[in-house]
Amino acid sequence: MFQIYNMHKLYLYVDVENAAAVHIYKKLGFETEGTIKDQFYAMGSYHDAYYMGLTRTNYDK
């Protein structure tokens, strides 16, 4: 995405309880930038989400 579309930043939201996904995203270079309270409604309750980002600068390291 960075080379082809000349993007500066990729971002995503992931449920804080989804440890496997958080681990993979961190392995790919994404960093947790914040927590969003009650972002998702699933299985009868609201869940917090991490806002994670990866900038071109961090990707090129």
Side-chain angles (χ1 to χ4, degrees), residues 15 17 36-49:
D15 192 323
E17 296 178 12
I36 304 168
K37 301 293 182 187
D38 297 338
Q39 179 70 7
F40 297 107
Y41 186 82
M43 301 175 106
S45 64
Y46 285 95
H47 298 259
D48 297 347

Side-chain angles (χ1 to χ4, degrees), residues 14-15 18-30 50 52:
V14 62
D15 192 323
N18 191 344
V22 171
H23 176 74
I24 291 169
Y25 294 138
K26 286 184 176 183
K27 235 176 145 176
L28 292 171
F30 283 84
Y50 290 134
M52 300 181 80

Side-chain angles (χ1 to χ4, degrees), residues 11 39 51 55 57-58:
Y11 68 91
Q39 179 70 7
Y51 176 87
T55 61
T57 306
N58 290 343

